[in-house]
Amino acid sequence: MADFMEQVQTVLTNLSAEILLFGGAFLLQFFLFGNVLWPWRKKGKGKASKKLDPSSSLSKQEVETTLEATEAAFEQGDHRTVLRKWGTLQRAGDVPAQTLVQVVESMQRLRKDRSFILAEVKGLVLKSTVAQSVEYMNDLLTPLTKSLDAGLISSLLSVFSKVGVQPDSRTYDILIHLHFATRSFEEVKDLAKHMREADLQPTQRTTLVMLKTFLQEGCLSEALQCYSELPDLPKHVGTQLVEIACRDRRLHDILPRLASGQIPMTTDSLNLMLNEALRSGQPEVAKKALDLAEQQGVEKNSRTYSLLVRSEVDTTEVRKWLNEVSATGQVDPIVSQAVLEVCTRTGDVQLAESLAALLKPDENSQAPAFMALIRFYTEAGKPEKALELYDSLVHKVDGKPSQRPPIDGRTKHCILTAASSCHRQDIAEELHEADPMRGVAMMRGCSKSNDLDGVLSLLDGPGKLPSTAWNIALDTCVENGELEKAKMLAKRMKDARVMDVVSYNTLIKAYVRHNLFDQAVSLLLTMREHPTHMPNTVTYHELIGALLKTGKEIHRTRAWELVNEMKEDKVIPNKPLVSNLLRSLRPKSHSSEITRAMQLVDSIQHQVDEGLLCTVLEAGVRVGKASLVRSKLECFHGEKAECPVKITGAHSFGSLIKAYGFVKDVAGAWNCWREMSVQHLKPTNITLGCMVEAVASNGDVDGAHELIQRLLEDKETKSQVNAVIYGSILKGFSRKKHMDRVWEAFDEMKTHGITPTLMTFNAIMDGCVRNEEMSKVADLVQEMSVYNLVPNLITYSTMIKGFCATGDMQSAFAIFEQLQKGRESPDEVVYNTLLDGCLKAGMADEGEQLLEAMMAQGLAPSIYTLSVVVKLLANAKRLDKAFKLAEGASSRFRFRLGAQLQTALLQACISCRAFDRGARFYLKTHKDRLSADKKICQTIICGLLSTGKAELAADLLKSLLGLNSTSEEVIRHRATQEIDEVLVAEVISALLEQGNNYRQAEQIYESLKALKPRFVLDAELLKKIRGKDYYQ
């Protein structure tokens, strides 16, 4: 026995290592797989398990427990546990639709492919009688549509159709909302068609979606049908219907509905109809629109009056509209422009005087109207009226002009002409002084380089500088921290009487930067002493912002006192000021401060954007005012919001969710969460998705942006998103005047590692030009160099176009010089753009040099190019040079002067009052040809008569009417020509007054009588023509 035990011990000792390894493997199997059975043992039980399946169904208690565990795991984000519980629930047979939705979403989050998801759902539907119903299908589809996966929804419908489940009205509602959310408008229209064919009635909410779709697609008939089925729609929907009707020339389809009041008449609708009437030449449409507007009490705005004025032929009606505008308050610039067009067209000086009486010289926005009136009076032969307007614009101190608006070259020439006619040498001397803006430009250059001494030295120059230059110098002192120099300069400015609101605001900025708040506040009293120096929004923003920044209670109190003073001064706050006040609110803030801050928000509620809304909500939560937060949410967010604010940032959504939770509106918080959960994006990702180029080209740029986001989240499609696709939404946003969205999209593209191309930068630059943000072009060009991109001809052309549009010709020529030094040469488009800019700015010398450079480069100027140059030189009264350049280019590049260029030259002659030259040019170029523009010739004839050149006027008249022509074409068309009998009588009368011209007068009369038998002259004039005393 002892030997046996000894042998056993020896065996165990020898096998100790193997036993330890076996135990370790046993434990590892347990911890890794949760069981101790080997895979081959698990498979070995397959047959036995199959035999136990029918009898292994779960009890009711087990099903309920499993369902609760599944729901708990889903809420905790444990999607793997949800799938494990799904395996257990499959044995139950019937699974609630809500649970199946959670299972499907867990599969999506775990990146299960669509075929796997469909197989699981199909297995349940085929074996569960509960699932084989349309109610179950709808309960399943409703939450799944929030993922916007149209492909999955379509496949699920196919699964249910195989078991005989057909869609009902609710199903169509679900599908229509899904495709509308993805901007698939064609799908929405198809579903609406199938719904009607199945005789299913949509809900009002679905009908509204269908209406929006038809409006987007421009389907007027379908949109009208949906509109009639919906009660209490916003007025802007009716305006959209009117817009589509005008675009499709179908106003007759909508006028009865407007007359019956089914579609309410709005100001925008009225303007659309008036514009269409003006475009199509249908005054009866305009009259009908006005009658409807008057019946429904629709107010007219400035756009309405401008359209009415442009459509009138009778100046009496124009005066009526002008009086009506004046009764409403200030005359808007667009109305002034329309009235001036009528004045220019009709030559009605009294109408111009009526307009001038309504304009206010102190209003900067009305300066263009004053300039146009000055030009009109000068050209109409009323120089004294022109100078009266000029004197009203110029503010003089001690007989010297202290302030006046900028004057363009054409207006300056008119003023000089009027001054010469009225012997006003003082005005001529004022306008011939050295251009002060050159000194301003030099001062700006010194300011940018922080050269304070250089700036101050320019103030001591010989020329007189405008207030702008003094303000630049004062701001340079402030930016360099030189408070004492700023104070000394302000004293000089007061002595020179050039202090304005900008000067005081700059000085206030200097004081607050040195925490001298008492001195800054005291300046408010000084500003109020002068009516033109009253504090404005910038003044209060600078002061209040600085006081709040200190964080001291005494300064906070003073800031709120300034808010009350701002109200007394009737100053409207801006968004930064309101934001600063909201951020200053604390849990212990006085209720009066909270109320005042929210009143400021209400005063600018139509300017509230995403950032300001978040600030409002965060302030409301911080002070513990639930009712306040709830009211702001109802006003700015949701479908029924009065002033809805579009939310685009993750931080903004966070603020919204926090606000909804604070007011205990869980549904609102979930709505925000669902908006961020499209395609299961994390809350920190950009929430506004992107759309592909196809969607962007249809005008839905927001939808395109959303689609791009979804593509980037999908590993399979991420590589397909490139700079070209982003270029589509960049162009779309810029054309819609949403430059902030352009910059967001550009930054987003770089964040995702997509390298911008030259086309990308050109698209953004074009957006800057369209939206007047040329200040950002320099940064764009600098960023291009980071990507080793060199500007091309399109880049330079776009920049030149933008600077010309803003009137910054100096920058435009600087870019032009860079282009000339580069690899590419300027083309005709670049030259034409610069010439257009020179024409607007009145830069005749530069325009002439451009044309010479263009021809030296070998580019043949087009007729348009030469026409612009001719107009430019004509404005500068350089008629000889205009003819020389036009004829020289024609000879050098061997092309004939086209009708457009000939017309431009004739107009130049009229502008320079060289009527004889214009007549000779016409006779030379229009020999044996009929005139394309009779009005120009008639104007020249009148000018010749006024200068006593009756014979030349007679020759031009005969050429105009083709009386001496031998051309068969002219003879064939003479009978169709209209004859201005008054003009003919004036020419004949002038010929008779000069003597010895009775035969020519009789020849003109007899030729016209043969051409037009009904042509009749005044009896007295006819007697003079045929009198015997003229034949002696």
Side-chain angles (χ1 to χ4, degrees):
M1 186 65 180
D3 293 337
F4 175 76
M5 294 301 296
E6 185 178 351
Q7 291 178 1
V8 171
Q9 185 177 1
T10 302
V11 171
L12 291 175
T13 302
N14 294 332
L15 296 177
S16 59
E18 287 79 357
I19 293 172
L20 289 174
L21 286 174
F22 178 79
F26 183 88
L27 293 174
L28 183 62
Q29 173 72 12
F30 178 80
F31 285 114
L32 287 178
F33 302 102
N35 62 75
V36 295
L37 299 177
W38 299 108
W40 63 270
R41 288 296 306 273
K42 192 173 181 180
K43 293 179 182 178
K45 288 190 173 184
K47 294 181 180 180
S49 62
K50 286 181 182 180
K51 294 178 181 179
L52 293 174
D53 275 346
S55 61
S56 62
S57 60
L58 300 178
S59 65
K60 183 177 180 180
Q61 182 65 32
E62 290 175 325
V63 171
E64 292 179 355
T65 303
T66 306
L67 289 174
E68 292 176 358
T70 302
E71 184 176 358
F74 181 81
E75 291 179 354
Q76 295 173 4
D78 188 358
H79 301 294
R80 295 190 182 276
T81 300
V82 172
L83 288 191
R84 285 200 294 270
K85 296 298 180 183
W86 166 243
T88 304
L89 287 173
Q90 285 179 313
R91 293 161 54 193
D94 296 332
V95 178
Q98 180 181 358
T99 304
L100 184 57
V101 169
Q102 296 174 347
V103 172
V104 171
E105 185 169 340
S106 295
M107 292 178 183
Q108 290 177 323
R109 290 184 179 274
L110 293 175
R111 303 296 182 183
K112 300 295 183 182
D113 56 40
R114 188 178 296 169
S115 60
F116 176 84
I117 297 174
L118 290 175
E120 295 295 312
V121 175
K122 183 177 180 180
L124 175 68
V125 172
L126 292 177
K127 70 179 182 180
S128 173
T129 56
V130 175
Q132 297 176 8
S133 66
V134 68
E135 292 80 9
Y136 189 95
M137 178 179 69
N138 291 338
D139 291 340
L140 175 63
L141 295 179
T142 300
L144 288 180
T145 54
K146 294 170 185 175
S147 66
L148 303 181
D149 192 342
L152 175 61
I153 300 301
S154 178
S155 301
L156 289 176
L157 286 172
S158 301
V159 170
F160 281 96
S161 65
K162 290 181 179 179
V163 295
V165 178
Q166 297 300 323
D168 62 358
S169 178
R170 183 185 169 198
T171 311
Y172 278 106
D173 290 347
I174 295 170
L175 295 175
I176 286 175
H177 284 85
L178 165 66
H179 289 297
F180 181 77
T182 58
R183 303 303 195 277
S184 302
F185 299 121
E186 289 296 330
E187 295 290 339
V188 174
K189 290 195 293 184
D190 289 341
L191 287 169
K193 179 181 177 182
H194 294 324
M195 199 172 185
R196 292 194 187 96
E197 292 173 352
D199 198 21
L200 297 174
Q201 295 299 322
T203 62
Q204 286 192 359
R205 184 166 174 262
T206 302
T207 305
L208 180 60
V209 170
M210 293 162 59
L211 172 60
K212 292 179 179 179
T213 300
F214 293 136
L215 289 174
Q216 181 76 19
E217 294 290 287
C219 303
L220 181 61
S221 300
E222 294 83 353
L224 286 173
Q225 181 180 348
C226 292
Y227 185 89
S228 62
E229 298 172 359
L230 292 170
D232 302 328
L233 284 172
K235 289 185 178 181
H236 68 82
V237 178
T239 304
Q240 287 180 276
L241 290 170
V242 175
E243 182 179 5
I244 296 174
C246 292
R247 186 181 62 200
D248 295 345
R249 314 290 186 264
R250 294 177 59 187
L251 271 177
H252 57 277
D253 291 337
I254 210 166
L255 279 173
R257 299 173 186 262
L258 288 168
S260 64
Q262 182 182 359
I263 299 178
M265 193 74 172
T266 64
T267 303
D268 290 335
S269 300
L270 174 61
N271 293 343
L272 287 168
M273 296 174 69
L274 290 175
N275 186 65
E276 174 62 16
L278 181 62
R279 187 203 62 78
S280 59
Q282 296 178 322
E284 65 277 5
V285 174
K287 185 177 183 305
K288 181 66 174 177
L290 283 173
D291 291 341
L292 290 174
E294 185 175 353
Q295 292 171 9
Q296 300 183 24
V298 177
E299 295 183 356
K300 304 181 186 72
N301 60 12
S302 299
R303 172 68 174 163
T304 311
Y305 287 112
S306 68
L307 290 169
L308 289 171
V309 168
R310 286 190 174 94
S311 63
E312 293 294 348
V313 179
D314 187 3
T315 55
T316 304
E317 291 296 319
V318 175
R319 286 189 179 87
K320 184 187 78 171
W321 295 125
L322 187 59
N323 293 334
E324 190 172 325
V325 173
S326 63
T328 63
Q330 181 178 343
V331 180
D332 195 270
I334 64 173
V335 179
S336 303
Q337 182 181 358
V339 175
L340 284 169
E341 289 178 5
V342 175
C343 293
T344 304
R345 186 175 70 239
T346 62
D348 193 330
V349 177
Q350 293 182 351
L351 179 60
E353 292 177 354
S354 301
L355 175 62
L358 299 175
L359 298 179
K360 299 178 181 179
D362 295 332
E363 294 289 342
N364 293 332
S365 61
Q366 295 184 350
F370 276 99
M371 300 300 171
L373 277 170
I374 289 173
R375 295 193 298 268
F376 171 77
Y377 280 135
T378 304
E379 294 167 359
K382 301 290 182 180
E384 66 283 354
K385 296 284 186 182
L387 295 183
E388 286 179 12
L389 284 180
Y390 173 76
D391 289 335
S392 67
L393 280 175
V394 179
H395 301 284
K396 295 187 177 182
V397 178
D398 297 334
K400 297 182 179 180
S402 63
Q403 185 179 357
R404 71 180 177 207
I407 302 175
D408 60 276
R410 183 184 170 192
T411 306
K412 180 179 179 181
H413 175 77
C414 290
I415 296 173
L416 289 173
T417 302
S420 176
S421 301
C422 298
H423 306 290
R424 290 286 302 275
Q425 188 63 26
D426 57 326
I427 294 180
E429 292 176 357
E430 290 175 13
L431 295 178
H432 278 112
E433 289 180 353
D435 186 4
M437 297 312 295
R438 185 179 301 276
V440 173
M442 295 174 62
M443 192 168 289
R444 283 199 176 100
C446 295
S447 178
K448 289 181 180 179
S449 60
N450 292 325
D451 184 6
L452 180 58
D453 294 333
V455 170
L456 296 177
S457 64
L458 289 173
L459 291 176
D460 300 325
K464 184 177 180 180
L465 294 172
S467 59
T468 304
W470 291 88
N471 288 333
I472 293 174
L474 184 60
D475 186 70
T476 306
C477 293
V478 175
E479 293 299 329
N480 285 272
E482 297 289 345
L483 179 60
E484 293 301 321
K485 289 185 178 180
K487 292 165 67 175
M488 293 174 60
L489 182 58
K491 187 176 183 303
R492 287 181 59 188
M493 293 173 68
K494 288 181 181 178
D495 296 337
R497 297 183 178 180
V498 293
M499 284 286 284
D500 56 13
V501 177
V502 177
S503 311
Y504 283 108
N505 289 343
T506 306
L507 195 57
I508 287 174
K509 181 169 65 173
Y511 282 129
V512 299
R513 286 190 177 184
H514 290 79
N515 294 327
L516 300 174
F517 298 108
D518 292 335
Q519 291 88 326
V521 173
S522 65
L523 281 180
L524 292 177
L525 301 175
T526 306
M527 295 176 71
R528 294 190 183 105
E529 293 175 359
H530 199 289
T532 61
H533 298 162
M534 291 296 292
N536 58 14
T537 305
V538 178
T539 312
Y540 285 105
H541 179 224
E542 195 73 44
L543 262 174
I544 295 174
L547 288 167
L548 294 175
K549 192 175 181 180
T550 62
K552 297 181 179 180
E553 189 61 28
I554 185 174
H555 289 157
R556 288 186 70 257
T557 303
R558 187 69 185 95
W560 284 102
E561 292 174 358
L562 286 175
V563 172
N564 295 329
E565 293 181 19
M566 179 176 65
K567 183 179 179 181
E568 294 174 359
D569 288 340
K570 298 180 180 180
V571 176
I572 300 176
N574 56 17
K575 289 189 290 187
L577 175 57
V578 176
S579 297
N580 286 338
L581 290 168
L582 289 169
R583 292 191 182 99
S584 71
L585 296 177
R586 295 292 180 265
K588 295 183 179 180
S589 294
H590 196 273
S591 59
S592 61
E593 295 180 0
I594 300 172
T595 302
R596 188 73 187 98
M598 294 307 160
Q599 288 175 350
L600 292 176
V601 174
D602 294 336
S603 67
I604 60 168
Q605 66 176 6
H606 293 289
Q607 303 178 30
V608 172
D609 57 6
E610 179 181 344
L612 183 55
L613 174 59
C614 295
T615 306
V616 172
L617 297 176
E618 290 169 359
V621 173
R622 192 165 54 248
V623 299
K625 298 290 185 181
S627 59
L628 184 151
V629 176
R630 184 180 294 106
S631 65
K632 296 308 175 187
L633 285 171
E634 293 173 354
C635 180
F636 298 113
H637 190 259
E639 295 181 355
K640 298 181 180 180
E642 180 182 353
C643 301
V645 175
K646 189 172 184 179
I647 308 301
T648 59
H651 172 73
S652 303
F653 272 113
S655 299
L656 281 171
I657 292 172
K658 181 179 179 181
Y660 275 117
F662 178 71
V663 299
K664 304 187 184 327
D665 186 357
V666 181
W670 273 109
N671 286 336
C672 294
W673 176 261
R674 291 188 187 100
E675 290 178 49
M676 292 198 305
S677 299
V678 174
Q679 288 294 326
H680 308 297
L681 296 177
K682 294 181 181 180
T684 55
N685 290 344
I686 298 177
T687 54
L688 287 179
C690 309
M691 303 300 289
V692 290
E693 183 179 359
V695 182
S697 62
N698 287 319
D700 190 6
V701 188
D702 289 331
H705 198 189
E706 182 178 348
L707 179 57
I708 291 179
Q709 281 291 343
R710 294 207 301 268
L711 293 174
L712 289 170
E713 289 297 321
D714 193 334
K715 294 181 179 179
E716 296 180 358
T717 59
K718 182 177 180 179
S719 59
Q720 299 177 5
V721 181
N722 54 27
V724 176
I725 295 178
Y726 263 101
S728 300
I729 64 170
L730 293 175
K731 294 176 184 177
F733 282 134
S734 67
R735 289 170 182 170
K736 285 182 173 291
K737 307 295 183 183
H738 294 164
M739 277 304 295
D740 53 333
R741 303 294 302 279
V742 171
W743 299 115
E744 290 175 8
F746 182 57
D747 294 339
E748 178 185 298
M749 181 179 70
K750 294 184 291 184
T751 302
H752 285 289
I754 300 175
T755 304
T757 64
L758 186 57
M759 186 196 73
T760 307
F761 284 99
N762 287 342
I764 299 176
M765 202 167 293
D766 181 70
C768 292
V769 172
R770 291 173 181 270
N771 296 275
E772 301 178 355
E773 292 190 11
M774 292 302 297
S775 60
K776 299 181 180 179
V777 168
D779 295 336
L780 273 177
V781 175
Q782 184 176 0
E783 189 169 358
M784 287 173 64
S785 61
V786 176
Y787 296 95
N788 297 321
L789 296 174
V790 179
N792 61 5
L793 182 60
I794 297 176
T795 313
Y796 286 116
S797 177
T798 304
M799 288 192 288
I800 291 172
K801 177 182 177 182
F803 286 121
C804 289
T806 58
D808 188 358
M809 294 304 299
Q810 182 178 359
S811 299
F813 276 106
I815 298 298
F816 178 70
E817 292 177 1
Q818 295 179 23
L819 174 59
Q820 289 180 312
K821 296 176 182 178
R823 295 177 297 178
E824 297 182 270
S825 300
D827 61 1
E828 183 182 349
V829 175
V830 173
Y831 281 105
N832 286 344
T833 303
L834 280 168
L835 286 171
D836 283 332
C838 290
L839 178 61
K840 293 178 182 177
M843 302 171 65
D845 293 334
E846 290 79 358
E848 182 180 342
Q849 293 171 7
L850 278 173
L851 181 62
E852 293 174 354
M854 182 180 181
M855 293 190 294
Q857 187 180 323
L859 288 176
S862 64
I863 297 298
Y864 174 81
T865 306
L866 292 173
S867 298
V868 173
V869 174
V870 168
K871 292 177 184 177
L872 181 62
L873 293 174
N875 291 339
K877 305 303 178 184
R878 301 180 186 176
L879 186 60
D880 293 335
K881 191 65 176 180
F883 272 89
K884 182 179 178 180
L885 286 176
E887 293 171 351
S890 173
S891 174
R892 176 177 176 180
F893 295 99
R894 299 181 180 180
F895 63 84
R896 296 181 61 183
L897 300 179
Q900 180 183 358
L901 182 56
Q902 291 175 9
T903 301
L905 288 168
L906 290 173
Q907 289 175 335
C909 292
I910 294 173
S911 176
C912 296
R913 301 190 64 80
F915 300 110
D916 52 344
R917 183 165 190 171
R920 288 192 294 271
F921 177 74
Y922 178 86
L923 293 172
K924 176 182 176 181
T925 57
H926 289 72
K927 185 178 181 180
D928 286 339
R929 289 193 296 118
L930 294 174
S931 172
D933 195 334
K934 292 184 179 180
K935 291 183 179 180
I936 292 179
C937 293
Q938 292 173 356
T939 303
I940 294 177
I941 291 173
C942 293
L944 290 170
L945 294 177
S946 66
T947 56
K949 299 179 180 179
E951 293 184 2
L952 189 56
D955 292 339
L956 184 57
L957 177 65
K958 289 188 288 185
S959 177
L960 174 64
L961 299 176
L963 300 180
N964 296 334
S965 177
T966 58
S967 170
E968 294 182 1
E969 180 183 0
V970 174
I971 295 173
R972 191 165 51 250
H973 288 86
R974 277 190 306 184
T976 63
Q977 302 302 306
E978 296 180 0
I979 299 176
D980 188 342
E981 297 181 1
V982 175
L983 182 64
V984 173
E986 290 178 357
V987 172
I988 292 176
S989 178
L991 286 171
L992 296 175
E993 289 177 359
Q994 288 189 0
N996 299 325
N997 288 319
Y998 60 90
R999 292 187 182 277
Q1000 189 175 4
E1002 185 179 19
Q1003 180 185 2
I1004 293 175
Y1005 172 72
E1006 296 296 337
S1007 298
L1008 288 176
K1009 192 68 175 177
L1011 182 64
K1012 297 283 185 180
R1014 295 184 179 180
F1015 174 71
V1016 178
L1017 275 180
D1018 180 71
E1020 187 68 25
L1021 186 60
L1022 184 60
K1023 182 179 179 181
K1024 290 182 179 180
I1025 294 175
R1026 294 180 174 177
K1028 294 182 179 179
D1029 53 333
Y1030 286 101
Y1031 290 85
Q1032 294 176 356

